[in-house]
């Protein structure tokens, strides 16, 4: 009887392997240290659901892909998943506790659509009420995984190519897993319905796969705070549904591709703190929906494109810590602008009065450490919502327009030092504002 059980196990192992060799290279499955081999072994010999590869191949492949994701990112034991006397052994061993912070029921008997759990009593620190993998019971494919939500869960290792087998996924959230490295798998191209990919604050390296931008429904891409290298692919122009592009704090090089101008639906573009060079493309005529633009902390040169003033929805513009030259563009059309940060460049000319037009919503202005000259605008007081004003370390001259600054009741910090200004700046009574004194006073 025992020989019959062993024969049944060996036959099942072979039939499962035959199926999985159609989606994973045989040499990868044969590598006993690979997460793919561990997932296959679990499916064939340990999973109590015993999905029949002949009658439900799609179901088995999906369960295998989810298990591979688990093993590849640090879930399960570090040791082998089986006690192998030979390649056909049907013996199984118990798994050690998962190194994930929570396992969310992965590898449980339940259908993989149930490999998830609620987190705390509310959204909690991760911003989600539940985490794991999910299916939409009301969709046309109620047993297809369509969401992966595993942020801040201690994931490590790499994201496997088998992610691409979960082709219904539209939401992949893996942020703040500090030991999750490697590259974004090329198989990402198979997630045709992907709308959100968030793998920020991890250890991703290598380049951004070009085929990522062939995903026509991709709306939100958060890859900031990684170690991504190479350039921003020109194929980014194909991601025409993109609304959020966050690539800050990586090691991206070369210039900003002109193809960015084709992303007409962009709301947020964050590419600060990289190693970008060259000039800023003329974005204003095409990115009319942009609200936030940050290209700070790079090595960009040239002038600030005048057409940025055509971004009528723009609320925040951060270009500090570059090598930009020339004058500050006329700001009047930017009626929604709240943040303008241009410090630590080589800008010249006057501080335009147009920045302080009547009704401006400006809350933060930083132009320190440039080569700006002339008097401060007499209409500073129009910026009634201004909280911080940094004009330090330039070549401003003349008197600080104190009388015209009286309406600035929201002002908390004002830095004037490092100029040739005159007059004494004191603490206005009752509003708690703080002013640094001009070096020329």
């Amino acid at each position: 009887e025992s020989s019959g059980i062993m024969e049944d196990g060996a036959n099942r192992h072979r039939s499962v392997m035959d199926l999985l060799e159609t989606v994973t290279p045989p040499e990868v499955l044969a590598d006993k240290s690979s997460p793919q081999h561990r997932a296959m072994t679990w499916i064939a010999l340990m999973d109590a659901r015993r999905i029949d590869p002949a009658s439900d191949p799609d179901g088995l492949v999906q369960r295998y892909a989810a298990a591979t994701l688990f093993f590849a990112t640090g879930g399960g034991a570090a040791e082998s998943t089986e006690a192998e006397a030979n390649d056909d052994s049907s013996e199984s061993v118990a798994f050690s506790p998962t190194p994930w912070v929570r396992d969310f029921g992965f590898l449980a008997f339940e259908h993989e659509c149930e490999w998830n759990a609620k987190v705390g009593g509310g959204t909690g620190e991760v911003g989600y009420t539940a985490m794991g993998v999910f299916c939409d019971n009301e969709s046309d494919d109620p047993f297809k995984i369509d969401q992966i939500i595993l942020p801040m869960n201690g994931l490590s290792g790499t994201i496997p190519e088998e992610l691409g087998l979960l082709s219904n996924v539209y939401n992949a959230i893996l942020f703040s897993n500090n030991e999750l490295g490697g590259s974004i798998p090329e198989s990402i191209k198979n997630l045709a319905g992907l709308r959100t990919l968030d793998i920020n604050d991890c250890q991703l390296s290598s380049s951004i796969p070009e085929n990522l931008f062939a995903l026509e429904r991709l709306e939100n891409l958060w890859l900031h705070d990684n170690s991504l290298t190479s350039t921003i692919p020109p194929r980014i122009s194909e991601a025409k549904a993109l609304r959020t592009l966050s690539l800050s704090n990586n090691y991206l090089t070369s210039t900003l591709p002109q193809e960015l101008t084709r992303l007409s639906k962009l709301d947020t573009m964050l590419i600060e703190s990289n190693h970008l060079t060259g000039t800023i493309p003329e974005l204003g005529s095409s990115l009319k929906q942009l609200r936030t633009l940050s290209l700070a902390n790079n090595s960009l040169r040239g002038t600030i494109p005048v057409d940025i003033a055509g971004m009528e929805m723009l609320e925040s513009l951060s270009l500090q810590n570059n090598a930009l030259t020339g004058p500050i563009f006329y700001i009047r059309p930017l009626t929604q602008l709240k943040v303008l940060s241009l410090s630590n460049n080589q800008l010249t000319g006057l501080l335009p009065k147009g920045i302080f037009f009547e009704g401006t919503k400006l809350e933060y202005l930083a132009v320190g450490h440039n080569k700006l000259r002339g008097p401060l605008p007499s209409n500073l007081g129009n910026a009634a919502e201004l909280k911080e004003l940094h004009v330090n370390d330039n070549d401003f001259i003349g008197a600080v327009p104190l009388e015209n600054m009286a309406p600035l009741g929201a002002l908390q910090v004002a830095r004037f030092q490092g100029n040739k200004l005159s007059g004494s700046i004191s603490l206005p009574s009752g509003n708690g504002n703080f002013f640094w004194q001009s070096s020329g006073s």
Side-chain angles (χ1 to χ4, degrees), residues 65 160-168 185 187-191:
E161 288 290 339
E162 284 70 19
L163 174 68
L165 298 174
L166 303 176
S167 57
N168 282 47
S187 64
I188 196 81
K189 65 183 178 182
N190 297 330
L191 308 187

Side-chain angles (χ1 to χ4, degrees), residues 5 13 28 44 74 101 103 106 136 200 229 255 302 334 397:
I5 295 175
H13 190 277
V28 175
V101 175
D103 64 19
F106 271 67
D136 184 355
N200 82 76
T229 59
T255 60
L334 300 182
I397 60 173

